Amino acid sequence: MTDLLRIAGRAVAVPLGALARWRRGKPMHPRGAVLDAVLERTGGPAGWGVPWLAGSGQEAVLVRLSRGAGLPTPLPDLLGLAVRLPGPDGPVDLLLSTTGRGRLTRWVPVPRRDAAAVHCSIMGYRTPAGPVFLAALPEPGAAPVTAEPGPVAAAARSGRLAFTLVAARGAGEWQPFARLRLLAPVPEVDPDLRFDAVRNPPPGLVPDGPMARFRAPAYGAAREGRGA
């Protein structure tokens, strides 16, 4: 099964590589808004053996909200929420996509129009407590926000765009560990800004499972396309 997933990933990487060269290194999520944000750690599950999830405090982070396939605005798209955090050995990247919220639908990609939606890692992480998944849940009462740079920027500036970051063991209950508040667009975005959830995981969380094995070749294709 593992070999089949890697073979499938390599097969998908071929057209993704061509698309990456055409889109300057971004085969997916070619267009989006990059914003400054604040991560307020509230202290998550302490018994999982992952100090990164259990920590508290506040730190400045970068967030990118984007449309996965780059479809025109009237159409729903697989939306992405990427978060870059500082880490002790380099940046930490979280890549979340719009999914369902339930015990099974949290692993099912769902096209959306509204950026204030549930985003899940889909990819699991290996930990001492077993497989862990991450998600960003919109705060209750959040107003719909069209997933385009203008509306996203306006919602962030007005304080209307925030998420609760949560973690779950397998199909277990979501456990909150932080609050993510989007602030305002970054004035000058580094054109070399790329997010990689496989190479830059949080400390104590090892990318694992079918999605990680399928995803790795796609990231490689994007990096090669970027170099080309």
Side-chain angles (χ1 to χ4, degrees):
M1 183 64 175
T2 298
D3 290 340
L4 288 176
L5 287 165
R6 285 177 176 155
I7 291 170
R10 292 189 188 107
V12 171
V14 173
L16 282 178
L19 193 57
R21 289 187 288 275
W22 181 51
R23 287 180 168 176
R24 300 181 181 180
K26 290 184 179 180
M28 298 294 289
H29 302 277
R31 194 162 50 93
V34 180
L35 305 101
D36 286 314
V38 173
L39 187 74
E40 301 167 347
R41 293 179 175 275
T42 54
W48 292 6
V50 185
W52 186 84
L53 290 175
S56 60
Q58 181 172 298
E59 55 193 339
V61 300
L62 278 181
V63 169
R64 187 174 193 263
L65 284 164
S66 56
R67 297 174 63 85
L71 299 177
T73 303
L75 300 175
D77 204 336
L78 185 62
L79 307 183
L81 173 64
V83 184
R84 169 155 291 180
L85 305 85
D89 301 313
V92 169
D93 290 338
L94 307 180
L95 265 66
L96 314 174
S97 300
T98 45
T99 66
R101 185 169 185 159
R103 292 179 183 271
L104 297 180
T105 58
R106 68 181 58 170
W107 297 308
V108 180
V110 178
R112 304 278 192 193
R113 294 186 180 90
D114 182 10
V118 175
H119 294 71
C120 182
S121 63
I122 304 179
M123 180 182 74
Y125 296 89
R126 187 172 68 251
T127 76
V132 164
F133 297 84
L134 306 178
L137 310 182
E139 296 197 331
V145 180
T146 304
E148 284 292 329
V152 164
R157 287 194 185 97
S158 65
R160 294 186 293 111
L161 200 49
F163 297 86
T164 299
L165 297 191
V166 296
R169 290 189 291 185
E173 295 290 336
W174 291 120
Q175 304 291 327
F177 68 90
R179 182 173 183 254
L180 181 66
R181 288 191 298 114
L182 279 62
L183 302 177
V186 175
E188 294 184 10
V189 179
D190 182 352
D192 202 36
L193 177 65
R194 301 290 189 277
F195 297 86
D196 192 324
V198 174
R199 299 179 77 179
N200 304 323
L205 295 170
V206 180
D208 195 19
M211 182 55 68
R213 290 188 285 274
F214 179 82
R215 211 173 195 176
Y219 283 120
R223 288 191 294 271
E224 290 175 6
R226 168 188 161 194

